[in-house]
Amino acid sequence: MSILTGKTKIMIAEDDTNFGLVLKDYLSLHEYDVHLYRDGRQAFDKFEKGKFNLCILDVMMPIMDGFALAENIKAKDSNVPIIFLTAKSMKVDMIRGFKIGADDYITKPFDSEILLFKIKALLNRSETIVKAVNEQVEFVIGGFKFNSRLRTIQGFGKEEKLSPKEAALLALLCVYLNDILPREVALRKIWNDDNYFTARSMDVFITKIRKYLKDDPNIELLNVHGNGYRLVVKD
Amino acid sequence: MSILTGKTKIMIAEDDTNFGLVLKDYLSLHEYDVHLYRDGRQAFDKFEKGKFNLCILDVMMPIMDGFALAENIKAKDSNVPIIFLTAKSMKVDMIRGFKIGADDYITKPFDSEILLFKIKALLNRSETIVKAVNEQVEFVIGGFKFNSRLRTIQGFGKEEKLSPKEAALLALLCVYLNDILPREVALRKIWNDDNYFTARSMDVFITKIRKYLKDDPNIELLNVHGNGYRLVVKD
DNA sequence: AATCCTGTTTAACTTATTTTAACCCTGTTT
DNA sequence: AAACAGGGTTAAAATAAGTTAAACAGGATT
């Protein structure tokens, strides 16, 4: 847990008061310190003061919509995980959210278990990323040991040095191990931008990382078409 | 270590009273003598009086920000370890902090375990550096024995004398053994400045140190591109 | 005054890193 | 199956960073 105050602090920005209160109560029951705001402007004012560990933002809100709010939040603290709530399951919306820096999205109405699961996964990821950057974190990837701080990978009788971007991307893949790392998330976090050129650049780095890992036949760095990459370790 | 309490004395400069108090309580629980100040001016006044072993400074504060405070503190006592707290994870900030003389930084929100870990590591390093300069400390580097005070290195049937800067740099590398000594930290501590020319000058000294150590094939003085140097001893 | 020691500066050179471009392949959609 | 967007791989270009030798300067030593 990344806070010193005990409970994990969650912000909900949702203009539908009914729905918002139900959500707030549900999450409060699961030991979260939940704060509900009715529009983007209000939510952003509060965000600047309180230290939130996670934000759940409705895409459609008056005054400042979820996308605009997310952009402002990411500008203040680019590490806070953000989950978008969207009524439509339209793919366009999800992609736009990811480009802005969303870490996940969920469509209304939703399964409350799934939301809890996503919250846990996101908080865990956010924590692992913080550790990977600050501490001496060693990721074990099949027969390799990868140190994200020293930017070294050793295994199969050799040790190699990784460049900063190579190391950052591999660390992200490790955080999402066996799960999909969405392209947009990686581009946002490492390149701070998501356009045609940074995307092609990322492809080049994927190839490089595949080369570093090629000695272990149990490791695969799979592409999920139109979505992202998945680092899979068989056992 | 404080003479009266026997405890290590830590200064926190943080304008967010809420966050500051929580942090203070948390560190107090871990046997530190913690003093909290709300702005840079107040913190600096107190620094001049009490002997602090470590300072944790928020970058963004009213009246005097963390960077300005750090500069004043370093001018008074260049050996006190400083940790910067920064909300943004922006690399620019970290680099600026290092250039001013930070020994480490941590981005908010952070894992409290990581902070404790960093405090311990820094206090340990700071102590070793003081000893290396004032006392007779012998560092063992592979097959060599290096005395930082006498500035001698012996091994493989010969003894050589090091110049003051050579010895200072090697001592720093020893303190950070197997870990990265960031360029900025070395430049700040030894050259008291960080610009293009002192950086090139440091590179020259790295070459000189490599020559002193070349007889032992288990010793490597590795560059970590864009970051610093790592003295690695294989065994 | 000549010499040595130390550290600084310069500059030519080498290597690392990232971006861009080219060309080809693979799923997806109509 | 044709058209197209997304992805894979490699090489080249562009930039950034690090290495090294050698010339230089200033103070200390002989």
Side-chain angles (χ1 to χ4, degrees):
Chain A
M1 195 112 4
S2 55
I3 48 159
L4 302 166
T5 56
K7 285 186 185 175
T8 301
K9 211 168 159 189
I10 294 181
M11 158 185 289
I12 301 175
E14 167 64 84
D15 64 313
D16 178 343
T17 318
N18 246 357
F19 183 82
L21 280 174
V22 172
L23 187 53
K24 179 180 174 180
D25 289 346
Y26 177 71
L27 292 178
S28 299
L29 275 173
H30 288 85
E31 299 305 312
Y32 292 115
D33 179 17
V34 189
H35 300 250
L36 173 64
Y37 307 108
R38 270 163 223 81
D39 64 73
R41 166 65 50 210
Q42 195 196 0
F44 185 61
D45 287 347
K46 297 295 178 179
F47 180 83
E48 287 191 294
K49 284 163 194 149
K51 321 262 170 223
F52 289 92
N53 300 105
L54 188 142
C55 299
I56 300 174
L57 315 179
D58 190 5
V59 169
M60 278 181 296
M61 281 187 299
I63 305 180
M64 196 198 297
D65 76 8
F67 291 134
L69 175 56
E71 277 184 307
N72 287 321
I73 284 176
K74 285 281 170 182
K76 275 277 163 197
D77 177 356
S78 61
N79 286 315
V80 189
I82 293 178
I83 297 178
F84 276 124
L85 282 179
T86 163
K88 310 177 260 182
S89 66
M90 281 172 66
K91 206 178 177 182
V92 214
D93 271 345
M94 288 148 36
I95 297 283
R96 192 179 157 204
F98 275 136
K99 277 187 193 283
I100 283 164
D103 297 277
D104 216 329
Y105 62 91
I106 198 157
T107 52
K108 291 192 282 188
F110 56 84
D111 186 331
S112 49
E113 292 295 319
I114 291 179
L115 179 61
L116 269 187
F117 181 82
K118 291 201 178 213
I119 288 172
K120 273 182 201 150
L122 275 185
L123 288 171
N124 184 40
R125 272 175 197 153
S126 143
E127 196 187 340
T128 312
I129 291 172
V130 169
K131 279 192 183 163
V133 175
N134 292 314
E135 256 188 315
Q136 209 107 332
V137 164
E138 283 218 328
F139 293 100
V140 175
I141 316 166
F144 294 99
K145 278 190 182 174
F146 164 53
N147 187 313
S148 63
R149 218 175 80 73
L150 303 178
R151 305 204 313 254
T152 56
I153 184 163
Q154 50 186 183
F156 300 89
K158 61 185 171 203
E159 169 162 336
E160 292 185 279
K161 291 199 268 185
L162 306 203
S163 79
K165 281 220 162 68
E166 287 166 357
L169 184 54
L170 182 52
L172 253 194
L173 287 163
C174 287
V175 167
Y176 283 79
L177 191 69
N178 292 319
D179 200 351
I180 300 172
L181 165 64
R183 292 191 81 95
E184 294 81 5
V185 170
L187 290 167
R188 251 269 146 193
K189 284 208 198 293
I190 300 174
W191 278 265
N192 301 311
D193 194 15
D194 179 358
N195 59 52
Y196 174 79
F197 294 104
T198 53
R200 296 334 315 277
S201 188
M202 175 171 151
D203 290 340
V204 173
F205 280 85
I206 289 289
T207 300
K208 287 178 179 167
I209 287 174
R210 283 192 177 125
K211 278 185 188 152
Y212 286 120
L213 299 173
K214 72 173 182 299
D215 281 347
D216 189 334
N218 294 319
I219 300 176
E220 282 182 303
L221 181 40
L222 304 170
N223 171 254
V224 183
H225 200 96
N227 198 345
Y229 291 93
R230 220 153 75 80
L231 181 59
V232 181
V233 180
K234 289 175 277 189
D235 50 9
Chain B
M1 192 104 56
S2 161
I3 303 160
L4 295 173
T5 61
K7 287 182 184 175
T8 302
K9 209 168 159 189
I10 294 181
M11 158 185 289
I12 301 176
E14 165 66 82
D15 64 311
D16 179 342
T17 318
N18 245 356
F19 184 80
L21 280 173
V22 174
L23 187 53
K24 179 181 174 181
D25 289 346
Y26 177 73
L27 293 178
S28 299
L29 274 172
H30 288 85
E31 301 305 314
Y32 292 113
D33 178 19
V34 189
H35 300 251
L36 173 64
Y37 307 108
R38 270 164 222 81
D39 64 73
R41 165 66 50 210
Q42 194 196 2
F44 185 61
D45 288 348
K46 297 294 178 180
F47 180 84
E48 288 190 294
K49 285 162 195 151
K51 315 255 172 245
F52 289 91
N53 300 104
L54 188 142
C55 299
I56 300 173
L57 315 179
D58 190 5
V59 168
M60 277 181 294
M61 280 188 299
I63 305 179
M64 196 198 298
D65 75 8
F67 291 134
L69 175 56
E71 278 184 306
N72 288 321
I73 284 175
K74 285 281 169 181
K76 277 277 163 196
D77 177 356
S78 62
N79 285 317
V80 189
I82 293 178
I83 297 178
F84 275 123
L85 283 180
T86 164
K88 305 180 260 183
S89 66
M90 282 172 66
K91 205 179 178 184
V92 213
D93 271 344
M94 289 148 37
I95 297 282
R96 192 178 157 204
F98 273 137
K99 278 187 192 280
I100 282 165
D103 296 278
D104 216 327
Y105 62 91
I106 199 158
T107 52
K108 291 190 282 188
F110 54 83
D111 191 311
S112 48
E113 293 292 321
I114 292 179
L115 181 61
L116 271 187
F117 177 86
K118 292 204 172 207
I119 288 172
K120 274 181 203 149
L122 274 186
L123 288 171
N124 185 39
R125 269 176 195 152
S126 146
E127 201 186 334
T128 313
I129 291 171
V130 171
K131 274 190 190 164
V133 175
N134 298 312
E135 290 173 53
Q136 211 97 334
V137 166
E138 282 219 328
F139 293 101
V140 175
I141 317 166
F144 294 99
K145 279 188 182 174
F146 163 53
N147 187 311
S148 61
R149 188 146 171 66
L150 302 177
R151 306 205 312 261
T152 56
I153 184 162
Q154 51 185 185
F156 299 88
K158 61 186 169 200
E159 169 162 335
E160 292 183 280
K161 285 192 272 184
L162 306 202
S163 77
K165 280 220 163 62
E166 288 166 354
L169 184 54
L170 182 52
L172 254 193
L173 286 162
C174 287
V175 168
Y176 282 79
L177 191 68
N178 291 321
D179 200 352
I180 301 170
L181 166 63
R183 292 193 85 97
E184 295 84 3
V185 170
L187 289 167
R188 249 280 142 187
K189 284 211 195 293
I190 300 174
W191 277 265
N192 301 311
D193 193 17
D194 179 358
N195 59 52
Y196 175 80
F197 294 105
T198 53
R200 294 282 69 73
S201 185
M202 174 171 150
D203 290 340
V204 173
F205 280 83
I206 290 289
T207 301
K208 288 176 180 168
I209 288 174
R210 282 191 178 127
K211 279 185 186 152
Y212 287 121
L213 299 173
K214 73 172 182 299
D215 281 347
D216 189 335
N218 293 319
I219 300 176
E220 282 182 302
L221 182 39
L222 302 171
N223 170 254
V224 183
H225 200 100
N227 197 345
Y229 290 92
R230 209 154 79 85
L231 181 59
V232 181
V233 180
K234 288 176 278 190
D235 48 10

